[in-house]
Amino acid sequence: MVPLDYKNPEGRRRRFRPIPVRMLVPNVITLLAICAGLTAIRLSTEGKMEWAVAAIVFAAVLDGVDGRIARLIKGQSKFGAELDSLADFVNFGVAPGLILYFWQLHDLGNGGWIAAMVFAISGGLRLARFNATIDDPNKPPFAANYFTGVPAPAGAVTALLPVYLAFLGVGKPPATLTAAYTLLIAFLMVSRLPVFSGKTVRMRVPPEMVLPVFVAVILFVALLIGYPWYILSIGSMLYLASLPLGWKSYKDHERAAAAAASAGETVAAGESAQTFTAPVSDNPSDDRPERLH
């Protein structure tokens, strides 16, 4: 074994640079979200469905916070992106599927388990497609404001709609209906449906609207804590009803972009159609071929 020559830079051991704290904060929040998702699975196996659903909602809140905090403090990293994808699969794919299975789908036996598995797998496929196409150079500029398919957190929250309604006293729907609804949400997650994301909306509040925004946020949080099943039920139904609006908005942008491209091609074709006319020689007796003029 040849000893290392510490005087030679190439022989020194590689030392990793210290990681700034700002790079750790978003990852800690993501780990907390994973803990919430795993806790939801445990609570569902113990029959504590209300707390299990609350843990999923808490994980969804953390998922919406970690990315924004990372961009705010410039703490993005490839490690954080991969960890976030893992958290989304656990929290919004595996956990909701198991909650629905332990809540009612187990009444269908293997059929209910298949519905739960399809939902979990659809969440994983949806996240894999998102990671694979996030840097697609062929996407039109307006496509940055839309998701392809229902995002995993929204899919998880809306998939639990039958549970919310049961907590409100509506009663459990038939198990086959719950399984069909679960498969429908799974299909929406892996579909090509354009869903408005709001990522490009400017997050700036006019000074005169700061206090009303504070009041609105506090009111929403208070309502969510005081009447969680009403808010989640209404929110889920409104979200599902808004999906056709996102598709229509995407198609309008697509038609406008196609019209603009067609107009640009027409202008370019008109410019290229202009031909150059060769000057006529002043000497009438010049009988050389005109291509030599």
Side-chain angles (χ1 to χ4, degrees):
M1 181 177 179
V2 181
L4 292 175
D5 184 6
Y6 292 97
K7 296 182 179 180
N8 184 5
E10 297 181 356
R12 298 175 183 174
R13 293 181 181 273
R14 182 182 178 186
R15 293 183 179 180
F16 294 97
R17 294 178 298 174
I19 299 176
V21 176
R22 61 181 174 83
M23 305 290 290
L24 300 178
V25 173
N27 296 329
V28 171
I29 297 176
T30 304
L31 289 174
L32 290 176
I34 295 178
C35 293
L38 295 175
T39 303
I41 295 175
R42 176 193 170 183
L43 293 171
S44 66
T45 60
E46 296 175 353
K48 302 175 182 178
M49 293 301 172
E50 294 188 3
W51 288 104
V53 173
I56 293 296
V57 175
F58 181 63
V61 173
L62 293 179
D63 179 75
V65 168
D66 61 355
R68 287 170 173 78
I69 290 180
R71 289 188 291 270
L72 182 64
I73 65 177
K74 297 181 180 179
Q76 304 99 316
S77 64
K78 184 173 178 58
F79 175 83
E82 297 298 332
L83 183 63
D84 186 70
S85 295
L86 174 63
D88 287 350
F89 175 63
V90 173
N91 299 336
F92 311 125
V94 177
L98 290 177
I99 289 175
L100 289 169
Y101 177 77
F102 290 123
W103 179 67
Q104 189 186 37
L105 293 180
H106 66 274
D107 294 340
L108 299 177
N110 291 334
W113 178 243
I114 290 173
M117 278 199 307
V118 169
F119 181 84
I121 292 172
S122 297
L125 292 175
R126 197 256 174 232
L127 292 167
R129 182 181 63 187
F130 174 80
N131 293 334
T133 60
I134 190 171
D135 295 324
D136 186 5
N138 298 322
K139 290 197 303 184
F142 63 87
N145 205 29
Y146 297 88
F147 291 121
T148 302
V150 173
V157 174
T158 55
L160 297 174
L161 178 59
V163 184
Y164 310 149
L165 296 176
F167 290 160
L168 290 175
V170 177
K172 283 186 178 182
T176 53
L177 182 60
T178 302
Y181 178 76
T182 302
L183 294 175
L184 172 63
I185 301 299
F187 171 76
L188 291 176
M189 287 196 294
V190 298
S191 68
R192 304 292 299 179
L193 178 69
V195 179
F196 185 72
S197 67
K199 285 186 175 182
T200 59
V201 176
R202 297 184 62 183
M203 301 299 292
R204 292 185 178 273
V205 180
E208 65 274 9
M209 292 298 296
V210 172
L211 294 181
V213 168
F214 281 155
V215 173
V217 172
I218 294 174
L219 178 62
F220 175 77
V221 173
L223 290 174
L224 183 60
I225 295 174
Y227 306 95
W229 314 129
Y230 287 100
I231 298 300
L232 291 173
S233 300
I234 294 173
S236 299
M237 289 185 285
L238 290 178
Y239 183 81
L240 292 175
S242 69
L243 294 180
L245 300 179
W247 176 82
K248 181 180 181 302
S249 176
Y250 185 89
K251 290 301 180 181
D252 291 341
H253 282 93
E254 195 174 44
R255 283 191 291 267
S262 177
E265 292 176 358
T266 302
V267 172
E271 292 178 352
S272 63
Q274 297 178 358
T275 56
F276 177 76
T277 304
V280 180
S281 175
D282 294 335
N283 185 6
S285 62
D286 191 359
D287 58 351
R288 291 180 298 171
E290 190 171 347
R291 62 183 179 85
L292 297 178
H293 285 179

